[in-house]
Amino acid sequence: MILHEDSRSGNCFKIRLTAAHLGIPLEFRNYDVMKGETRTTEFLAQVNGNGRIPVLQDGDLFLPESNAACFYLADGSDLIPAARFGRADMLRWMFWEQYNHEPNIATLRFWVAFVGEDKLTSLQRQLLSAKREAGEAALALMERHLAERDWLVGDAISLADIALYAYTHVAAGGGFALSQYPAVSLWLDRVAGHPRHVPMNTDTPLAARHQQV
Amino acid sequence: MILHEDSRSGNCFKIRLTAAHLGIPLEFRNYDVMKGETRTTEFLAQVNGNGRIPVLQDGDLFLPESNAACFYLADGSDLIPAARFGRADMLRWMFWEQYNHEPNIATLRFWVAFVGEDKLTSLQRQLLSAKREAGEAALALMERHLAERDWLVGDAISLADIALYAYTHVAAGGGFALSQYPAVSLWLDRVAGHPRHVPMNTDTPLAARHQQV
């Protein structure tokens, strides 16, 4: 199987991490989202008409949407709870991730650590405070949930943990202080401590500059 | 099972429609989102800490996120493709719905037909054109896909069709002209023509005023 990706993207990392847990080998095709390489005519026609990565390719089948690709890899494995409610509850956290977490926490990271605050449009700049507030609310919801349990769903790691780990563990890149969320921080260590864990490529174009600031 | 809902919400309607297809009876608890009834201390503590509907309740289990609730109801039924790729491809469209479709098409409907354009904040007003553009792009993607097939995934109705029908069929409430999307329009008729289909409550607070305009 081939993963069409930008290795600095948390959405792409979810799929790498799922594959690592399952011992599934992947090939990689790299695209630089900063250079618009996922919006070319060729990419739109052959890989994803929505102009986005990641896309998981299995033979002549193409599967966009990170959480759907994780589900495809993990279908039938113990990364998906066997009980009916647990399975749906796992998907609940994955839908929540795409609606309430990613558009705030991942977008702020992209704007701050990749685009640069001085290069944002006026509208993006006006959205900063609303996205920061919504991102903090998302982390606070996770904190309350994880204060009482080790994993998001049931008593073992599942795709919900993998999906939410991806952008939570690099939230500092968007200016979020994870030290304010002790239960989330312990959970991040728990995910990263799994024997099958692999690290994400956390290079960001503006990292050097931000370290100087 | 109990559905905590506002019957005018497309996200709630998805669950009603899934239950109708499966012949599963639901009880309903109604909340008026315009009056903040899902942000009360009681609701946050007992139903959903995220302050949103729909929530599907099964005994003492509470399941937020519309598409997760649909999956819970339909798990094991023919609304979910039996083949591994089809199952993931169905989820692909459902994740896409929550990321690319709902935040644009449903949000514009809410702002235009429920809040009223004259009552929007300055920031919301500035977002109108970006959300309109993204909503049109989402409809165009569906149009290209449905021009070549009857259903979003495989050769039968699935949760992907139900999830995307919900806000697409009332997109006119947000100012989208569905007549510009003939394949989408035929698909809407196909979904609505299913013998188990039930209609949505399409009352909107500002409908009367908009008819006069």
Side-chain angles (χ1 to χ4, degrees), chain A residues 78-81 86 90 94 151-154 156-163:
Chain A
D78 57 8
L79 287 178
I80 298 179
M90 177 197 81
M94 294 167 80
W151 306 102
L152 287 166
V153 177
I157 193 167
S158 75
L159 292 183
D161 300 290
I162 289 174

PDB file of all heavy atoms in Angstrom, chain A residues 78-81 86 90 94 151-154 156-163:
ATOM      1  N   ASP A  78      -7.375  -5.420  16.887  1.00  0.00           N
ATOM      2  CA  ASP A  78      -7.793  -4.982  18.218  1.00  0.00           C
ATOM      3  C   ASP A  78      -7.584  -3.480  18.432  1.00  0.00           C
ATOM      4  O   ASP A  78      -7.760  -2.993  19.551  1.00  0.00           O
ATOM      5  CB  ASP A  78      -7.118  -5.814  19.321  1.00  0.00           C
ATOM      6  CG  ASP A  78      -5.602  -5.764  19.233  1.00  0.00           C
ATOM      7  OD1 ASP A  78      -5.086  -4.964  18.418  1.00  0.00           O
ATOM      8  OD2 ASP A  78      -4.943  -6.521  19.961  1.00  0.00           O
ATOM      9  N   LEU A  79      -7.247  -2.743  17.390  1.00  0.00           N
ATOM     10  CA  LEU A  79      -7.269  -1.268  17.481  1.00  0.00           C
ATOM     11  C   LEU A  79      -8.689  -0.731  17.371  1.00  0.00           C
ATOM     12  O   LEU A  79      -8.927   0.471  17.539  1.00  0.00           O
ATOM     13  CB  LEU A  79      -6.391  -0.628  16.401  1.00  0.00           C
ATOM     14  CG  LEU A  79      -4.872  -0.748  16.596  1.00  0.00           C
ATOM     15  CD1 LEU A  79      -4.137  -0.106  15.418  1.00  0.00           C
ATOM     16  CD2 LEU A  79      -4.439  -0.082  17.904  1.00  0.00           C
ATOM     17  N   ILE A  80      -9.643  -1.611  17.020  1.00  0.00           N
ATOM     18  CA  ILE A  80     -11.062  -1.238  16.962  1.00  0.00           C
ATOM     19  C   ILE A  80     -11.800  -2.108  17.981  1.00  0.00           C
ATOM     20  O   ILE A  80     -11.723  -3.331  17.911  1.00  0.00           O
ATOM     21  CB  ILE A  80     -11.629  -1.459  15.537  1.00  0.00           C
ATOM     22  CG1 ILE A  80     -10.893  -0.561  14.536  1.00  0.00           C
ATOM     23  CG2 ILE A  80     -13.136  -1.202  15.516  1.00  0.00           C
ATOM     24  CD1 ILE A  80     -11.351  -0.721  13.093  1.00  0.00           C
ATOM     25  N   PRO A  81     -12.479  -1.481  18.947  1.00  0.00           N
ATOM     26  CA  PRO A  81     -13.148  -2.273  19.987  1.00  0.00           C
ATOM     27  C   PRO A  81     -14.111  -3.303  19.378  1.00  0.00           C
ATOM     28  O   PRO A  81     -14.790  -3.032  18.380  1.00  0.00           O
ATOM     29  CB  PRO A  81     -13.926  -1.220  20.781  1.00  0.00           C
ATOM     30  CG  PRO A  81     -13.157   0.048  20.581  1.00  0.00           C
ATOM     31  CD  PRO A  81     -12.629  -0.033  19.180  1.00  0.00           C
ATOM     32  N   GLY A  86     -18.550   0.303  21.999  1.00  0.00           N
ATOM     33  CA  GLY A  86     -17.160   0.764  21.983  1.00  0.00           C
ATOM     34  C   GLY A  86     -16.706   1.175  20.589  1.00  0.00           C
ATOM     35  O   GLY A  86     -16.007   2.177  20.418  1.00  0.00           O
ATOM     36  N   MET A  90     -15.605   4.886  19.693  1.00  0.00           N
ATOM     37  CA  MET A  90     -14.318   5.197  19.066  1.00  0.00           C
ATOM     38  C   MET A  90     -14.539   6.152  17.883  1.00  0.00           C
ATOM     39  O   MET A  90     -13.847   7.173  17.752  1.00  0.00           O
ATOM     40  CB  MET A  90     -13.646   3.911  18.584  1.00  0.00           C
ATOM     41  CG  MET A  90     -12.329   4.132  17.859  1.00  0.00           C
ATOM     42  SD  MET A  90     -11.830   2.678  16.903  1.00  0.00           S
ATOM     43  CE  MET A  90     -12.855   2.894  15.421  1.00  0.00           C
ATOM     44  N   MET A  94     -13.333  10.115  16.896  1.00  0.00           N
ATOM     45  CA  MET A  94     -12.672  10.412  15.617  1.00  0.00           C
ATOM     46  C   MET A  94     -13.447  11.477  14.829  1.00  0.00           C
ATOM     47  O   MET A  94     -12.847  12.347  14.196  1.00  0.00           O
ATOM     48  CB  MET A  94     -12.506   9.129  14.808  1.00  0.00           C
ATOM     49  CG  MET A  94     -11.536   8.145  15.492  1.00  0.00           C
ATOM     50  SD  MET A  94     -11.588   6.469  14.788  1.00  0.00           S
ATOM     51  CE  MET A  94     -10.574   6.694  13.312  1.00  0.00           C
ATOM     52  N   TRP A 151      -7.411   5.472  28.570  1.00  0.00           N
ATOM     53  CA  TRP A 151      -7.562   5.547  27.110  1.00  0.00           C
ATOM     54  C   TRP A 151      -8.911   6.181  26.789  1.00  0.00           C
ATOM     55  O   TRP A 151      -9.832   6.135  27.607  1.00  0.00           O
ATOM     56  CB  TRP A 151      -7.474   4.142  26.486  1.00  0.00           C
ATOM     57  CG  TRP A 151      -6.232   3.404  26.887  1.00  0.00           C
ATOM     58  CD1 TRP A 151      -6.128   2.422  27.828  1.00  0.00           C
ATOM     59  CD2 TRP A 151      -4.894   3.626  26.403  1.00  0.00           C
ATOM     60  NE1 TRP A 151      -4.825   2.004  27.962  1.00  0.00           N
ATOM     61  CE2 TRP A 151      -4.042   2.725  27.089  1.00  0.00           C
ATOM     62  CE3 TRP A 151      -4.334   4.482  25.451  1.00  0.00           C
ATOM     63  CZ2 TRP A 151      -2.666   2.665  26.852  1.00  0.00           C
ATOM     64  CZ3 TRP A 151      -2.973   4.423  25.215  1.00  0.00           C
ATOM     65  CH2 TRP A 151      -2.143   3.528  25.906  1.00  0.00           C
ATOM     66  N   LEU A 152      -9.030   6.743  25.601  1.00  0.00           N
ATOM     67  CA  LEU A 152     -10.274   7.455  25.283  1.00  0.00           C
ATOM     68  C   LEU A 152     -11.482   6.532  25.315  1.00  0.00           C
ATOM     69  O   LEU A 152     -12.573   6.928  25.730  1.00  0.00           O
ATOM     70  CB  LEU A 152     -10.150   8.149  23.917  1.00  0.00           C
ATOM     71  CG  LEU A 152      -9.235   9.382  23.924  1.00  0.00           C
ATOM     72  CD1 LEU A 152      -8.883   9.821  22.518  1.00  0.00           C
ATOM     73  CD2 LEU A 152      -9.886  10.531  24.691  1.00  0.00           C
ATOM     74  N   VAL A 153     -11.308   5.308  24.865  1.00  0.00           N
ATOM     75  CA  VAL A 153     -12.431   4.362  24.777  1.00  0.00           C
ATOM     76  C   VAL A 153     -11.981   3.025  25.358  1.00  0.00           C
ATOM     77  O   VAL A 153     -10.949   2.486  24.955  1.00  0.00           O
ATOM     78  CB  VAL A 153     -12.858   4.160  23.304  1.00  0.00           C
ATOM     79  CG1 VAL A 153     -13.970   3.119  23.208  1.00  0.00           C
ATOM     80  CG2 VAL A 153     -13.297   5.480  22.684  1.00  0.00           C
ATOM     81  N   GLY A 154     -12.757   2.489  26.297  1.00  0.00           N
ATOM     82  CA  GLY A 154     -12.471   1.166  26.840  1.00  0.00           C
ATOM     83  C   GLY A 154     -11.162   1.149  27.613  1.00  0.00           C
ATOM     84  O   GLY A 154     -10.706   2.181  28.126  1.00  0.00           O
ATOM     85  N   ALA A 156      -8.051  -0.097  26.480  1.00  0.00           N
ATOM     86  CA  ALA A 156      -6.860  -0.332  25.657  1.00  0.00           C
ATOM     87  C   ALA A 156      -6.758   0.762  24.597  1.00  0.00           C
ATOM     88  O   ALA A 156      -7.735   1.467  24.309  1.00  0.00           O
ATOM     89  CB  ALA A 156      -6.939  -1.706  24.984  1.00  0.00           C
ATOM     90  N   ILE A 157      -5.588   0.883  24.020  1.00  0.00           N
ATOM     91  CA  ILE A 157      -5.401   1.862  22.948  1.00  0.00           C
ATOM     92  C   ILE A 157      -6.283   1.488  21.755  1.00  0.00           C
ATOM     93  O   ILE A 157      -6.470   0.313  21.453  1.00  0.00           O
ATOM     94  CB  ILE A 157      -3.902   1.951  22.547  1.00  0.00           C
ATOM     95  CG1 ILE A 157      -3.650   3.178  21.673  1.00  0.00           C
ATOM     96  CG2 ILE A 157      -3.426   0.668  21.860  1.00  0.00           C
ATOM     97  CD1 ILE A 157      -2.164   3.515  21.508  1.00  0.00           C
ATOM     98  N   SER A 158      -6.867   2.511  21.114  1.00  0.00           N
ATOM     99  CA  SER A 158      -7.694   2.289  19.917  1.00  0.00           C
ATOM    100  C   SER A 158      -7.376   3.389  18.904  1.00  0.00           C
ATOM    101  O   SER A 158      -6.579   4.300  19.179  1.00  0.00           O
ATOM    102  CB  SER A 158      -9.191   2.321  20.267  1.00  0.00           C
ATOM    103  OG  SER A 158      -9.611   3.660  20.495  1.00  0.00           O
ATOM    104  N   LEU A 159      -8.015   3.315  17.763  1.00  0.00           N
ATOM    105  CA  LEU A 159      -7.818   4.351  16.745  1.00  0.00           C
ATOM    106  C   LEU A 159      -8.169   5.739  17.272  1.00  0.00           C
ATOM    107  O   LEU A 159      -7.636   6.734  16.777  1.00  0.00           O
ATOM    108  CB  LEU A 159      -8.672   4.051  15.509  1.00  0.00           C
ATOM    109  CG  LEU A 159      -8.295   2.832  14.669  1.00  0.00           C
ATOM    110  CD1 LEU A 159      -9.210   2.751  13.453  1.00  0.00           C
ATOM    111  CD2 LEU A 159      -6.831   2.887  14.237  1.00  0.00           C
ATOM    112  N   ALA A 160      -9.064   5.817  18.255  1.00  0.00           N
ATOM    113  CA  ALA A 160      -9.409   7.128  18.821  1.00  0.00           C
ATOM    114  C   ALA A 160      -8.169   7.775  19.442  1.00  0.00           C
ATOM    115  O   ALA A 160      -7.928   8.975  19.260  1.00  0.00           O
ATOM    116  CB  ALA A 160     -10.517   6.976  19.858  1.00  0.00           C
ATOM    117  N   ASP A 161      -7.382   6.983  20.171  1.00  0.00           N
ATOM    118  CA  ASP A 161      -6.158   7.520  20.778  1.00  0.00           C
ATOM    119  C   ASP A 161      -5.145   7.915  19.705  1.00  0.00           C
ATOM    120  O   ASP A 161      -4.513   8.973  19.789  1.00  0.00           O
ATOM    121  CB  ASP A 161      -5.542   6.466  21.713  1.00  0.00           C
ATOM    122  CG  ASP A 161      -6.492   6.068  22.823  1.00  0.00           C
ATOM    123  OD1 ASP A 161      -6.733   6.897  23.712  1.00  0.00           O
ATOM    124  OD2 ASP A 161      -7.021   4.944  22.768  1.00  0.00           O
ATOM    125  N   ILE A 162      -4.994   7.084  18.693  1.00  0.00           N
ATOM    126  CA  ILE A 162      -4.037   7.385  17.614  1.00  0.00           C
ATOM    127  C   ILE A 162      -4.451   8.657  16.884  1.00  0.00           C
ATOM    128  O   ILE A 162      -3.635   9.550  16.635  1.00  0.00           O
ATOM    129  CB  ILE A 162      -3.931   6.185  16.656  1.00  0.00           C
ATOM    130  CG1 ILE A 162      -3.180   5.040  17.364  1.00  0.00           C
ATOM    131  CG2 ILE A 162      -3.249   6.580  15.340  1.00  0.00           C
ATOM    132  CD1 ILE A 162      -3.122   3.736  16.585  1.00  0.00           C
ATOM    133  N   ALA A 163      -5.750   8.767  16.554  1.00  0.00           N
ATOM    134  CA  ALA A 163      -6.232   9.933  15.804  1.00  0.00           C
ATOM    135  C   ALA A 163      -6.026  11.215  16.610  1.00  0.00           C
ATOM    136  O   ALA A 163      -5.614  12.240  16.064  1.00  0.00           O
ATOM    137  CB  ALA A 163      -7.705   9.756  15.447  1.00  0.00           C
TER     138      ALA A 163
END
